[in-house]
Amino acid sequence: MAEPWAIWGRAIHAPDAVDVLPRALITVDAAGTIISVEPYVLENDAKLRGFSDSGHLITLAADQVLLPGLVDLHVHAPQFPQLGTALDLPLEEWLQAHTFPLESRYEDVAFAESVYTRLVETLLAHGTTTALYFATIHLPATQRLAEICLARGQRGLVGRVGMDHPEQCPDYYRDASAESAIADTRALIDFIRTMPGNENGLVRPVITPRFVPACTDALLEGFGLLAHETGAHVQTHCSESDWEHEHVRARCGCTDAEALDRAGLLGRRSVLAHGNFIEPEDVARIRARGAAVAHCPLSNVYFAGAVFPLRAMLAEGLHIGLGTDIAGGASASLFEAARQAVASSRLLERGTDPTLPPERRGVPNSRIDFRTAFRLATAGGGEALDLPVGLFRPGYAFDTILLQSGLPDGNVAFGPDENGDTILQRIVMGAGRGDIARVWVAGRLVRSR
Ligand code: GUN
Ligand code: FE
């Protein structure tokens, strides 16, 4: 719409604690930015009539609720074809046996185009309005992913993967040199920032060293300089598994976080996937730099060998959001990741080994609830990326999902008289793509049923 418009109905978001806006009036400008949010507007209010008379009002029914769009902080776009398969090996073997062979196929741009189109559609259907993507080492295919995000209207942060270490990366799938990896990454940054139609920065480039083991020191340092020069986001994996954490210690004589920091790769716009084994000095370092952790509870079950101490890390003041980690995580749904975040935290709190006495089985005060999981999936993701998304707040993008009770292929039903907190609980603990009736990104309706 070329003029401001408004939407009126029940909305729930989590600025800090969960905040239910029972009859919210949200006004949106032509660029898709929220102008105003009023939590309680009655139906005879003159403000509503102004918008409805000009045909610029969307009115929600009692069985509908708005939530901020979901922010997925960790997606391997090229791994989508192996979703739900091949999780029988530890990380370092899984990469070599399954993942690098699959990722190497994206030299074929037509193959990339078909997978990436299906992935972006699927994630939008699941309510993911913002996704932070790892692509592959291939510049043309990665450019296609950026174009597909822009065309489909998804807020996409897209990274061409850098991986040049001859000991960890196979001959058939490796950057030829640190210099060529840096040059291709610079080319991607320029390409995305000048894509026609991307003037508002809906799609953004991300400097993406795969993880310390896959990168030479020269590549890490070159990427650090590029991050400083361009101000682009940075993403990588950090201290994901015992093997990974120890490998970096042996090679660099320090932790992942310290190695990344030495290279200049820890900043306010850096997102570290996993962080399961970060140590107290790492926590202080990550907090001081304002970097974020993408908590990926679905893949952590398979690869980590431990549960990320989410509640403790939130108490430490880190920026944290959620990632599906497709395809180390076997679901494209960030609601599924939210549920696993709750479940994993409960397992950490109470423990897992029934032969131990209950008082020695777990880590007390580790649980999070559905409210915290919801916050991580929305506002937490926005904070992690340093982008104005994930909240209904003036100046934020209208990136929003509409959930509807009792859809034919939905999981969730809620009554018009149930309170917002109970409705949110039903949604976080149960919702799937079948419950999502509409999706907007930057005010544009990108999906509707
Ligand atoms: N570490 C390095 N590459 C990967 C990857 O593709 N997936 C996960 N989960 N961890 C990684
Ligand atoms: Fe990953």
Side-chain angles (χ1 to χ4, degrees):
M1 290 186 218
E3 290 175 48
W5 55 281
I7 189 163
W8 178 57
R10 176 156 43 201
I12 305 175
H13 68 159
D16 185 21
V18 168
D19 185 17
V20 179
L21 314 174
R23 287 167 166 232
L25 179 66
I26 302 172
T27 62
V28 182
D29 72 14
T33 303
I34 295 172
I35 303 168
S36 66
V37 180
E38 289 180 63
Y40 204 94
V41 172
L42 292 172
E43 57 199 297
N44 56 4
D45 194 298
K47 274 176 267 173
L48 285 186
R49 239 175 301 122
F51 284 104
S52 64
D53 287 352
S54 58
H56 289 150
L57 182 69
I58 299 170
T59 301
L60 301 193
D63 61 354
Q64 297 178 320
V65 59
L66 295 179
L67 303 180
L70 306 178
V71 180
D72 189 336
L73 287 184
H74 192 51
V75 183
H76 293 271
Q79 295 174 20
F80 190 42
Q82 68 180 6
L83 190 73
T85 71
L87 290 171
D88 52 336
L89 295 174
L91 172 66
E92 63 279 19
E93 293 173 37
W94 172 84
L95 288 170
Q96 304 290 340
H98 297 294
T99 299
F100 292 161
L102 172 58
E103 291 194 11
S104 71
R105 294 178 58 194
Y106 289 75
E107 194 170 357
D108 176 352
V109 181
F111 176 63
E113 163 124 20
S114 77
V115 172
Y116 291 165
T117 301
R118 210 160 44 81
L119 173 63
V120 171
E121 279 306 333
T122 300
L123 290 179
L124 285 172
H126 279 287
T128 297
T129 50
T130 297
L132 178 56
Y133 288 113
F134 276 61
T136 62
I137 67 173
H138 311 99
L139 179 60
T142 305
Q143 291 171 329
R144 282 304 294 139
L145 175 58
E147 289 172 333
I148 291 164
C149 290
L150 185 63
R152 286 298 298 121
Q154 187 182 48
R155 195 176 299 285
L157 293 94
V158 177
R160 176 207 164 279
V161 173
M163 43 190 284
D164 69 331
H165 204 295
E167 273 159 36
Q168 290 299 318
C169 310
D171 293 346
Y172 66 86
Y173 185 53
R174 184 172 73 225
D175 282 310
S177 66
E179 293 72 35
S180 71
I182 293 160
D184 280 1
T185 301
R186 184 187 288 283
L188 182 75
I189 294 170
D190 293 342
F191 176 86
I192 290 177
R193 288 184 169 171
T194 56
M195 276 194 302
N198 194 32
E199 291 74 21
N200 292 337
L202 186 76
V203 180
R204 291 168 186 255
V206 187
I207 295 167
T208 306
R210 181 169 206 119
F211 61 162
V212 175
C215 301
T216 61
D217 292 350
L219 182 54
L220 294 172
E221 284 158 22
F223 274 170
L225 292 172
L226 193 61
H228 185 73
E229 177 194 327
T230 61
H233 283 81
V234 173
Q235 63 181 341
T236 189
H237 298 86
C238 174
S239 298
E240 175 176 3
S241 70
D242 290 298
W243 169 82
E244 207 258 76
H245 194 56
E246 289 311 315
H247 179 94
V248 175
R249 249 193 198 303
R251 182 183 125 196
C252 306
C254 65
T255 60
D256 289 38
E258 186 173 345
L260 293 166
D261 197 25
R262 281 186 197 164
L265 287 164
L266 279 194
R268 178 64 188 94
R269 292 193 155 189
S270 302
V271 178
L272 309 176
H274 307 285
N276 299 308
F277 295 94
I278 54 176
E279 301 178 14
E281 311 86 77
D282 297 329
V283 174
R285 191 183 290 277
I286 293 167
R287 185 179 45 228
R289 300 286 183 244
V293 173
H295 176 41
C296 304
L298 291 162
S299 71
N300 284 349
V301 170
Y302 295 94
F303 292 149
V307 174
F308 176 66
L310 173 59
R311 181 154 153 198
M313 292 301 124
L314 286 168
E316 290 279 359
L318 297 191
H319 300 293
I320 303 174
L322 294 180
T324 54
D325 197 12
I326 292 170
S331 171
S333 165
L334 204 68
F335 280 129
E336 206 65 65
R339 290 190 271 281
Q340 186 65 49
V342 173
S344 291
S345 77
R346 297 289 289 257
L347 291 172
L348 182 61
E349 180 167 295
R350 295 306 304 272
T352 55
D353 182 351
T355 66
L356 292 176
E359 65 279 5
R360 286 210 290 121
R361 219 178 278 149
V363 181
N365 303 318
S366 293
R367 70 167 71 178
I368 62 148
D369 66 7
F370 67 93
R371 301 178 191 88
T372 300
F374 168 64
R375 185 170 198 289
L376 294 175
T378 53
E383 271 166 24
L385 293 170
D386 191 28
L387 293 178
V389 300
L391 289 172
F392 298 118
R393 183 178 276 176
Y396 277 56
F398 189 76
D399 291 10
T400 301
I401 57 179
L402 191 163
L403 283 99
Q404 183 159 339
S405 172
L407 285 173
D409 55 350
N411 299 334
V412 177
F414 45 86
D417 299 328
E418 275 185 318
N419 70 43
D421 195 62
T422 302
I423 291 172
L424 182 68
Q425 185 168 18
R426 291 190 190 282
I427 289 171
V428 174
M429 299 314 286
R433 61 188 283 171
D435 301 287
I436 299 172
R438 288 190 229 173
V439 180
W440 293 263
V441 181
R444 172 179 167 195
L445 184 65
V446 294
R447 256 193 99 85
S448 181
R449 62 170 72 225

